[in-house]
Short mmCIF file of all heavy atoms in Angstrom, two decimals:
data_model
loop_
_atom_site.label_atom_id
_atom_site.label_comp_id
_atom_site.label_asym_id
_atom_site.label_seq_id
_atom_site.Cartn_x
_atom_site.Cartn_y
_atom_site.Cartn_z
N MET A 57 -4.11 1.55 6.50
CA MET A 57 -4.60 2.66 7.32
C MET A 57 -3.96 2.67 8.70
O MET A 57 -3.51 3.72 9.18
CB MET A 57 -6.12 2.60 7.43
CG MET A 57 -6.81 2.95 6.12
SD MET A 57 -8.60 3.02 6.23
CE MET A 57 -9.01 1.29 6.41
N LEU A 58 -3.88 1.51 9.34
CA LEU A 58 -3.27 1.43 10.66
C LEU A 58 -1.79 1.77 10.60
O LEU A 58 -1.30 2.62 11.36
CB LEU A 58 -3.48 0.04 11.26
CG LEU A 58 -2.78 -0.22 12.60
CD1 LEU A 58 -3.34 0.71 13.67
CD2 LEU A 58 -2.94 -1.68 13.00
N PHE A 59 -1.06 1.12 9.69
CA PHE A 59 0.37 1.34 9.60
C PHE A 59 0.70 2.80 9.28
O PHE A 59 1.58 3.40 9.90
CB PHE A 59 0.99 0.42 8.54
CG PHE A 59 2.47 0.65 8.36
CD1 PHE A 59 3.37 0.07 9.24
CD2 PHE A 59 2.94 1.45 7.34
CE1 PHE A 59 4.73 0.30 9.10
CE2 PHE A 59 4.30 1.67 7.19
CZ PHE A 59 5.20 1.10 8.07
N ASN A 60 -0.01 3.37 8.30
CA ASN A 60 0.30 4.76 7.92
C ASN A 60 -0.03 5.74 9.03
O ASN A 60 0.70 6.72 9.23
CB ASN A 60 -0.41 5.13 6.62
CG ASN A 60 0.30 4.54 5.42
OD1 ASN A 60 1.52 4.48 5.37
ND2 ASN A 60 -0.48 4.07 4.47
N ALA A 61 -1.09 5.50 9.78
CA ALA A 61 -1.40 6.37 10.92
C ALA A 61 -0.28 6.30 11.96
O ALA A 61 0.18 7.33 12.47
CB ALA A 61 -2.74 5.99 11.54
N LEU A 62 0.18 5.08 12.24
CA LEU A 62 1.27 4.90 13.21
C LEU A 62 2.58 5.50 12.69
O LEU A 62 3.32 6.15 13.42
CB LEU A 62 1.45 3.42 13.56
CG LEU A 62 0.29 2.79 14.32
CD1 LEU A 62 0.50 1.27 14.44
CD2 LEU A 62 0.11 3.42 15.69
N PHE A 63 2.86 5.26 11.40
CA PHE A 63 4.09 5.78 10.81
C PHE A 63 4.08 7.30 10.79
O PHE A 63 5.08 7.95 11.11
CB PHE A 63 4.30 5.23 9.39
CG PHE A 63 5.68 5.44 8.86
CD1 PHE A 63 6.68 4.51 9.12
CD2 PHE A 63 6.00 6.58 8.13
CE1 PHE A 63 7.97 4.71 8.64
CE2 PHE A 63 7.29 6.78 7.66
CZ PHE A 63 8.28 5.84 7.91
N ASP A 64 2.93 7.90 10.44
CA ASP A 64 2.82 9.36 10.45
C ASP A 64 3.05 9.92 11.85
O ASP A 64 3.73 10.93 12.02
CB ASP A 64 1.45 9.81 9.95
CG ASP A 64 1.26 9.62 8.45
OD1 ASP A 64 2.26 9.31 7.76
OD2 ASP A 64 0.12 9.76 7.99
N ARG A 65 2.50 9.26 12.85
CA ARG A 65 2.68 9.69 14.24
C ARG A 65 4.17 9.61 14.62
O ARG A 65 4.71 10.52 15.25
CB ARG A 65 1.83 8.83 15.18
CG ARG A 65 1.75 9.37 16.58
CD ARG A 65 0.79 8.59 17.43
NE ARG A 65 -0.57 8.70 16.87
CZ ARG A 65 -1.55 7.88 17.14
NH1 ARG A 65 -1.38 6.89 17.99
NH2 ARG A 65 -2.74 8.05 16.61
N PHE A 66 4.81 8.50 14.25
CA PHE A 66 6.25 8.32 14.51
C PHE A 66 7.05 9.41 13.80
O PHE A 66 7.96 10.01 14.37
CB PHE A 66 6.69 6.93 14.05
CG PHE A 66 8.16 6.68 14.16
CD1 PHE A 66 8.74 6.34 15.38
CD2 PHE A 66 8.99 6.78 13.05
CE1 PHE A 66 10.10 6.11 15.49
CE2 PHE A 66 10.35 6.56 13.14
CZ PHE A 66 10.91 6.22 14.38
N GLU A 67 6.70 9.65 12.55
CA GLU A 67 7.38 10.66 11.73
C GLU A 67 7.28 12.04 12.38
O GLU A 67 8.27 12.78 12.48
CB GLU A 67 6.70 10.67 10.37
CG GLU A 67 7.47 11.26 9.24
CD GLU A 67 6.73 11.07 7.93
OE1 GLU A 67 5.49 11.09 7.88
OE2 GLU A 67 7.43 10.91 6.92
N ARG A 68 6.08 12.40 12.83
CA ARG A 68 5.87 13.70 13.51
C ARG A 68 6.67 13.78 14.79
O ARG A 68 7.31 14.79 15.07
CB ARG A 68 4.39 13.87 13.81
CG ARG A 68 3.69 14.89 12.99
CD ARG A 68 2.31 15.27 13.50
NE ARG A 68 1.50 14.21 14.05
CZ ARG A 68 0.66 13.44 13.35
NH1 ARG A 68 0.55 13.61 12.07
NH2 ARG A 68 -0.05 12.51 13.96
N ALA A 69 6.61 12.70 15.61
CA ALA A 69 7.29 12.71 16.90
C ALA A 69 8.80 12.86 16.75
O ALA A 69 9.45 13.47 17.59
CB ALA A 69 6.96 11.43 17.68
N ARG A 70 9.35 12.31 15.69
CA ARG A 70 10.79 12.37 15.45
C ARG A 70 11.20 13.55 14.58
O ARG A 70 12.38 13.75 14.33
CB ARG A 70 11.29 11.07 14.79
CG ARG A 70 11.04 9.81 15.60
CD ARG A 70 12.01 9.73 16.79
NE ARG A 70 11.89 8.46 17.45
CZ ARG A 70 11.25 8.26 18.59
NH1 ARG A 70 10.64 9.24 19.19
NH2 ARG A 70 11.22 7.06 19.13
N GLY A 71 10.23 14.28 14.05
CA GLY A 71 10.53 15.41 13.19
C GLY A 71 11.18 15.00 11.88
O GLY A 71 12.01 15.73 11.33
N LEU A 72 10.77 13.85 11.35
CA LEU A 72 11.36 13.32 10.12
C LEU A 72 10.75 13.96 8.89
O LEU A 72 9.60 14.35 8.88
CB LEU A 72 11.16 11.80 10.04
CG LEU A 72 11.78 10.97 11.15
CD1 LEU A 72 11.38 9.51 10.99
CD2 LEU A 72 13.29 11.12 11.14
N LYS A 73 11.53 14.08 7.84
CA LYS A 73 11.07 14.51 6.53
C LYS A 73 10.98 13.26 5.66
O LYS A 73 11.66 12.28 5.89
CB LYS A 73 12.08 15.48 5.90
CG LYS A 73 12.30 16.73 6.73
CD LYS A 73 11.49 17.87 6.18
CE LYS A 73 11.84 19.17 6.85
NZ LYS A 73 10.91 19.57 7.86
N ARG A 74 10.15 13.31 4.63
CA ARG A 74 9.96 12.14 3.76
C ARG A 74 11.08 12.07 2.72
O ARG A 74 10.87 12.27 1.53
CB ARG A 74 8.60 12.19 3.10
CG ARG A 74 7.53 12.00 4.15
CD ARG A 74 6.26 11.54 3.58
NE ARG A 74 5.35 11.23 4.70
CZ ARG A 74 4.15 10.77 4.56
NH1 ARG A 74 3.69 10.53 3.36
NH2 ARG A 74 3.42 10.52 5.61
N THR A 75 12.24 11.71 3.20
CA THR A 75 13.41 11.53 2.34
C THR A 75 13.34 10.15 1.69
O THR A 75 12.49 9.33 2.01
CB THR A 75 14.69 11.64 3.16
OG1 THR A 75 14.69 10.55 4.12
CG2 THR A 75 14.80 12.96 3.90
N VAL A 76 14.29 9.87 0.82
CA VAL A 76 14.37 8.56 0.18
C VAL A 76 14.54 7.47 1.25
O VAL A 76 13.90 6.42 1.18
CB VAL A 76 15.53 8.52 -0.85
CG1 VAL A 76 15.77 7.10 -1.35
CG2 VAL A 76 15.23 9.44 -2.02
N VAL A 77 15.38 7.71 2.23
CA VAL A 77 15.61 6.72 3.28
C VAL A 77 14.33 6.46 4.08
O VAL A 77 13.98 5.31 4.35
CB VAL A 77 16.76 7.17 4.22
CG1 VAL A 77 16.86 6.28 5.44
CG2 VAL A 77 18.07 7.20 3.46
N VAL A 78 13.61 7.52 4.45
CA VAL A 78 12.37 7.36 5.21
C VAL A 78 11.33 6.65 4.36
O VAL A 78 10.63 5.75 4.84
CB VAL A 78 11.85 8.73 5.71
CG1 VAL A 78 10.45 8.62 6.31
CG2 VAL A 78 12.82 9.31 6.73
N ARG A 79 11.22 6.98 3.09
CA ARG A 79 10.27 6.31 2.20
C ARG A 79 10.62 4.83 2.03
O ARG A 79 9.74 3.98 1.99
CB ARG A 79 10.20 6.99 0.85
CG ARG A 79 9.48 8.31 0.89
CD ARG A 79 9.32 8.92 -0.51
NE ARG A 79 8.72 10.23 -0.43
CZ ARG A 79 7.42 10.46 -0.28
NH1 ARG A 79 6.60 9.46 -0.17
NH2 ARG A 79 6.97 11.68 -0.23
N CYS A 80 11.89 4.51 1.92
CA CYS A 80 12.31 3.11 1.80
C CYS A 80 12.00 2.34 3.09
O CYS A 80 11.50 1.20 3.03
CB CYS A 80 13.80 3.02 1.46
SG CYS A 80 14.17 3.49 -0.24
N ALA A 81 12.26 2.95 4.24
CA ALA A 81 11.93 2.30 5.51
C ALA A 81 10.43 2.08 5.61
O ALA A 81 9.97 1.01 6.04
CB ALA A 81 12.43 3.15 6.68
N HIS A 82 9.65 3.07 5.21
CA HIS A 82 8.19 2.96 5.21
C HIS A 82 7.74 1.77 4.37
O HIS A 82 6.96 0.93 4.83
CB HIS A 82 7.60 4.26 4.67
CG HIS A 82 6.12 4.24 4.52
ND1 HIS A 82 5.50 3.79 3.37
CD2 HIS A 82 5.13 4.64 5.36
CE1 HIS A 82 4.19 3.89 3.53
NE2 HIS A 82 3.95 4.41 4.72
#
Side-chain angles (χ1 to χ4, degrees):
M57 289 184 289
L58 175 62
F59 178 81
N60 283 321
L62 293 172
F63 194 88
D64 288 350
R65 192 174 297 161
F66 175 80
E67 200 174 34
R68 251 192 323 270
R70 300 286 188 258
L72 299 175
K73 300 261 188 260
R74 292 202 173 182
T75 63
V76 170
V77 170
V78 171
R79 287 185 184 280
C80 287
H82 175 272

